[in-house]
Protein backbone atom coordinates (compact mmCIF):
# COMPACT_ATOMS: atom_id res chain seq x y z
CA UNK A 1 0.00 0.00 0.00
CA UNK A 2 1.12 3.53 -0.76
CA UNK A 3 0.51 6.16 1.91
CA UNK A 4 1.17 9.89 2.22
CA UNK A 5 1.91 11.72 5.46
CA UNK A 6 1.22 15.45 5.46
CA UNK A 7 1.92 18.35 7.79
CA UNK A 8 -0.92 20.33 9.34
CA UNK A 9 -1.07 22.92 6.53
CA UNK A 10 -0.68 20.29 3.82
CA UNK A 11 2.33 21.78 2.04
CA UNK A 12 4.98 19.30 3.25
CA UNK A 13 4.44 15.64 2.48
CA UNK A 14 6.15 12.30 2.11
CA UNK A 15 4.79 9.27 0.25
CA UNK A 16 6.00 5.77 1.12
CA UNK A 17 5.30 2.31 -0.23
CA UNK A 18 4.64 -0.71 1.98
CA UNK A 19 4.48 -1.20 5.70
CA UNK A 20 6.78 0.39 8.29
CA UNK A 21 9.84 -1.55 9.54
CA UNK A 22 9.14 -0.25 13.04
CA UNK A 23 5.99 1.40 14.27
CA UNK A 24 5.35 2.26 17.87
CA UNK A 25 4.61 4.76 20.57
CA UNK A 26 7.21 6.32 22.85
CA UNK A 27 6.59 7.91 26.22
CA UNK A 28 9.96 9.65 26.68
CA UNK A 29 10.06 13.35 27.47
CA UNK A 30 11.75 14.03 24.13
CA UNK A 31 8.79 12.61 22.20
CA UNK A 32 6.26 14.27 24.47
CA UNK A 33 7.90 17.66 24.03
CA UNK A 34 8.35 17.25 20.29
CA UNK A 35 4.69 16.45 19.77
CA UNK A 36 3.16 18.39 22.65
CA UNK A 37 1.16 15.24 23.27
CA UNK A 38 1.04 12.39 25.81
CA UNK A 39 3.37 10.21 23.71
CA UNK A 40 5.00 10.10 20.31
CA UNK A 41 3.63 7.88 17.52
CA UNK A 42 6.47 7.08 15.17
CA UNK A 43 6.75 4.98 12.02
CA UNK A 44 10.14 4.03 10.58
CA UNK A 45 10.27 3.09 6.91
CA UNK A 46 13.25 1.99 4.84
CA UNK A 47 14.62 5.02 3.01
CA UNK A 48 14.22 2.93 -0.15
CA UNK A 49 10.44 2.91 0.43
CA UNK A 50 10.17 6.69 -0.07
CA UNK A 51 8.35 7.39 -3.34
CA UNK A 52 8.20 11.17 -3.17
CA UNK A 53 8.55 14.05 -0.76
CA UNK A 54 7.89 17.71 -1.18
CA UNK A 55 7.08 21.05 0.36
CA UNK A 56 9.48 23.44 2.04
CA UNK A 57 11.02 22.02 5.19
CA UNK A 58 13.73 23.26 7.52
CA UNK A 59 16.03 21.01 9.51
CA UNK A 60 17.04 20.95 13.13
CA UNK A 61 19.92 18.63 14.06
CA UNK A 62 21.02 17.84 17.61
CA UNK A 63 22.66 15.21 19.77
CA UNK A 64 20.26 13.26 21.94
CA UNK A 65 22.24 12.71 25.14
CA UNK A 66 19.90 10.13 26.70
CA UNK A 67 19.95 7.83 23.68
CA UNK A 68 23.48 8.86 22.60
CA UNK A 69 22.58 9.42 18.96
CA UNK A 70 22.17 12.30 16.55
CA UNK A 71 18.75 13.28 15.27
CA UNK A 72 17.83 15.53 12.38
CA UNK A 73 14.24 16.74 12.34
CA UNK A 74 12.58 18.14 9.26
CA UNK A 75 9.68 20.47 9.85
CA UNK A 76 7.34 22.45 7.61
CA UNK A 77 8.47 26.07 7.31
CA UNK A 78 4.85 27.22 7.11
CA UNK A 79 3.13 25.38 9.98
CA UNK A 80 6.01 23.90 12.03
CA UNK A 81 4.84 20.28 11.97
CA UNK A 82 7.75 17.88 12.52
CA UNK A 83 6.98 15.53 9.65
CA UNK A 84 10.10 13.41 9.28
CA UNK A 85 13.45 12.75 10.97
CA UNK A 86 16.54 10.62 10.80
CA UNK A 87 18.50 8.98 13.62
CA UNK A 88 22.22 8.27 13.28
CA UNK A 89 21.95 4.75 14.71
CA UNK A 90 19.34 3.76 12.11
CA UNK A 91 20.92 5.08 8.88
CA UNK A 92 18.72 3.03 6.51
CA UNK A 93 15.43 4.19 8.05
CA UNK A 94 13.45 7.40 7.97
CA UNK A 95 11.18 8.32 10.84
CA UNK A 96 7.76 9.71 10.00
CA UNK A 97 5.33 11.29 12.46
CA UNK A 98 2.76 8.54 12.18
CA UNK A 99 -0.23 10.70 13.11
CA UNK A 100 0.42 12.62 9.88
CA UNK A 101 -0.83 9.60 7.92
CA UNK A 102 -4.52 10.38 7.82
CA UNK A 103 -5.84 9.05 4.49
CA UNK A 104 -5.47 6.19 5.10
CA UNK A 105 -4.01 5.99 8.63
CA UNK A 106 -1.58 3.30 9.78
CA UNK A 107 -2.94 0.42 11.85
CA UNK A 108 -2.22 -0.46 15.46
CA UNK A 109 1.39 0.17 16.56
CA UNK A 110 3.43 -2.88 17.59
CA UNK A 111 5.40 -1.55 20.55
CA UNK A 112 5.37 0.90 23.43
CA UNK A 113 8.84 2.06 24.38
CA UNK A 114 10.09 4.14 27.32
CA UNK A 115 7.01 2.51 28.77
CA UNK A 116 8.15 3.14 32.36
CA UNK A 117 7.46 6.84 31.69
CA UNK A 118 3.91 6.22 30.46
CA UNK A 119 1.52 8.77 31.96
CA UNK A 120 -0.71 7.18 34.56
CA UNK A 121 -3.97 7.83 32.70
CA UNK A 122 -2.71 6.33 29.40
CA UNK A 123 -3.77 2.71 28.80
CA UNK A 124 -1.83 0.77 26.19
CA UNK A 125 -3.72 -2.26 24.79
CA UNK A 126 -2.55 -5.72 25.86
CA UNK A 127 -1.43 -6.73 22.37
CA UNK A 128 1.26 -4.02 22.16
CA UNK A 129 4.78 -5.01 23.34
CA UNK A 130 5.89 -2.86 26.26
CA UNK A 131 9.46 -2.12 27.21
CA UNK A 132 12.04 0.44 28.18
ZN1 LIG B 1 2.80 22.68 6.92
ZN1 LIG C 1 10.73 8.95 22.68
Amino acid sequence: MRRTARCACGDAFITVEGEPSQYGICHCSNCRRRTGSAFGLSAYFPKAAVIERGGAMNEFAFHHATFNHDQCRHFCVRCGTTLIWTISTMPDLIGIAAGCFTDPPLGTPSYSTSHSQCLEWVEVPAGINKGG
Side-chain angles (χ1 to χ4, degrees):
M1 177 179 281
R2 193 168 286 196
R3 295 184 181 88
T4 297
R6 283 187 188 280
C7 67
C9 81
D11 187 59
F13 70 93
I14 182 166
T15 300
V16 290
E17 181 72 49
E19 299 305 312
S21 304
Q22 299 179 40
Y23 172 39
I25 64 180
C26 180
H27 305 272
C28 82
S29 57
N30 181 49
C31 287
R32 294 219 300 260
R33 286 174 171 149
R34 178 180 65 75
T35 60
S37 191
F39 49 80
L41 180 64
S42 303
Y44 293 89
F45 286 83
K47 286 179 177 171
V50 176
I51 304 295
E52 188 184 5
R53 55 186 269 192
M57 286 186 262
N58 272 351
E59 298 177 16
F60 173 67
F62 70 104
H63 182 73
H64 193 302
T66 305
F67 295 132
N68 192 31
H69 64 211
D70 295 309
Q71 292 188 16
C72 185
R73 297 175 177 174
H74 301 249
F75 56 94
C76 174
V77 300
R78 299 173 197 273
C79 71
T81 301
T82 306
L83 185 65
I84 58 181
W85 60 89
T86 55
I87 295 178
S88 58
T89 50
M90 301 192 294
D92 298 331
L93 299 178
I94 186 164
I96 303 178
C100 294
F101 288 103
T102 57
D103 188 25
L106 291 173
T108 305
S110 59
Y111 63 87
S112 173
T113 190
S114 298
H115 194 78
S116 61
Q117 297 171 60
C118 183
L119 294 175
E120 62 180 346
W121 55 267
V122 173
E123 272 186 55
V124 177
I128 295 178
N129 293 322
K130 301 168 184 73

